[in-house]
Amino acid sequence: SYRKRRAPPLRARTAARIVPVWFLPRPAMRSRTPEHWLEVETIGDVAVGRFIHCRILHEEAVEEAGRQMLALSRDTGCPNVLLDLNNVEGMTTAFVGKLVSLYNQVTAAGGRLAMCRVRPLLREIFTICQFPGRHAIYAGEQEALYSF
C-alpha cells in the first residue's frame, strides 16, 4: 500500500545547525504610533494644540495622542485649551473618551475647552456620543481664540 508522506517543515540554516522556521526570532515590529501628535503653541492663557496626523484609530495611537492632549494644560500652565482638528479625518470612540477626560480636566481647573476646524464626520461623532464640549466648536482658530 502506498502511504502519502507529510512534507517536512521549512527549515533555515543558522550557525552550524538547522532550525525550524517558527523558532527563528521575528523582526521587531515597528510602532504605528508617531512620537508627536500635537503641535503646541501658547497664545495668552490658551494652550493651542494642532493635530499633525490624520487618523487616531489604533489603540497605541489613542493612548499616545490622549497622553499628549491631557498634558496640554498641565505642561503649559494655561487654564484654557483649544484643539485644532483640521488634520483629523477619523477617530475611535476610545479617543472621544480621551476628549471627555480632557474636557473634565480643563473644566475642573476652571478653564474652557474649545475646538476648531472640525470636519463634518467628527461633528457627527461628537453629536452621537453626546460629547459635552460639542457646543464649543468654531469654524476657525481666530474665532475660537476670541471666544476665550
Side-chain angles (χ1 to χ4, degrees), residues 13-133:
R13 274 193 195 275
T14 59
R17 61 190 180 116
I18 296 176
V19 179
V21 171
W22 55 84
F23 285 123
L24 293 176
R26 293 185 179 186
M29 289 185 66
R30 288 183 47 205
S31 173
R32 292 181 282 192
T33 307
E35 285 184 33
H36 300 289
W37 281 89
L38 289 172
E39 183 181 271
V40 180
E41 180 181 3
T42 303
I43 301 173
D45 66 344
V46 181
V48 180
R50 294 179 193 92
F51 279 90
I52 300 167
H53 304 285
C54 62
R55 294 176 191 259
I56 308 169
L57 302 174
H58 301 289
E59 184 179 338
E60 300 160 348
V62 169
E63 289 303 315
E64 185 59 27
R67 186 188 61 72
Q68 290 176 26
M69 193 174 56
L70 288 168
L72 264 178
S73 64
R74 183 186 67 231
D75 292 352
T76 60
C78 296
N80 301 309
V81 174
L82 171 61
L83 293 177
D84 183 339
L85 301 176
N86 184 50
N87 291 329
V88 180
E89 294 175 357
M91 66 176 63
T92 63
T93 53
F95 189 74
V96 175
K98 297 289 183 184
L99 285 170
V100 170
S101 296
L102 177 65
Y103 176 84
N104 292 336
Q105 175 185 317
V106 169
T107 54
R112 231 178 106 234
L113 171 67
M115 295 179 286
C116 67
R117 304 192 314 166
V118 179
R119 295 172 188 253
L121 174 66
L122 298 182
R123 283 179 185 256
E124 191 175 326
I125 290 171
F126 294 150
T127 302
I128 291 168
C129 294
Q130 298 182 350
F131 175 62

